[in-house]
């Protein structure tokens, strides 16, 4: 019974994410982000340029109540699509982006990853 109560309590902590989530890109701050409804928090992915034609995808962060709903995946996809569109190379410091590329081994992603 305690396990069921624990699962119910955890489910109450999750905040629903609208189906039409929009990932935004702030090139000046070098981040992709999703504005979270009803809060000033954001889910975000940070990157830095490491040369003229390469970026380091450094960190992905989703607030606790919004985890497990696909926001990190959306951020990682937006970042990798940016790398492809801008014809950049990418160093994947963030473990989640490494996982995203492993789970989505598209040729256009793989050919741009720096080892």
């Amino acid at each position: 019974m305690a396990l069921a109560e624990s699962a119910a309590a955890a489910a109450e902590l999750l905040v629903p994410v609208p189906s039409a989530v929009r990932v935004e890109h702030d090139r000046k701050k070098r981040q992709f982000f999703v504005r979270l409804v009803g809060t000033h928090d954001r889910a975000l992915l940070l990157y830095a340029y490491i040369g003229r034609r390469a970026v380091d995808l450094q960190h992905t962060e989703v607030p606790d109540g919004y985890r497990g709903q696909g926001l990190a995946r959306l951020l990682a996809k937006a970042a990798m699509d940016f790398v492809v569109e801008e014809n950049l190379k990418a160093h994947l410091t963030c473990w989640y982006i490494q996982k995203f590329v492993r789970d989505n081994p598209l040729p256009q992603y793989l050919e741009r990853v720096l080892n």
Side-chain angles (χ1 to χ4, degrees), residues 6-107:
S6 175
E12 288 177 15
L13 293 176
L14 292 178
V15 179
V17 173
S19 58
V21 173
R22 190 176 90 213
V23 175
E24 298 180 59
H25 184 189
D26 185 333
R27 289 174 184 263
K28 193 171 193 175
K29 291 184 179 178
R30 298 181 179 151
Q31 62 181 237
F32 292 88
F33 64 93
V34 173
R35 296 174 198 269
L36 302 173
V37 177
T39 178
H40 294 293
D41 287 338
R42 296 175 172 194
L44 56 89
L45 184 152
L46 304 175
Y47 68 93
Y49 279 90
I50 52 172
R52 294 189 58 182
R53 304 299 308 155
V55 292
D56 182 8
L57 302 178
Q58 299 174 322
H59 179 69
T60 304
E61 185 173 323
V62 177
D64 290 342
Y66 291 87
R67 291 185 180 169
Q69 299 182 55
L71 292 175
R73 181 180 52 80
L74 293 172
L75 291 165
K77 180 182 183 328
M80 289 306 299
D81 289 348
F82 164 71
V83 167
V84 170
E85 290 163 9
E86 298 291 320
N87 196 26
L88 301 170
K89 295 289 186 181
H91 183 269
L92 310 181
T93 297
C94 175
W95 71 266
Y96 185 85
I97 300 169
Q98 294 171 13
K99 177 187 179 310
F100 175 82
V101 171
R102 270 194 316 273
D103 293 347
N104 301 277
L106 301 175

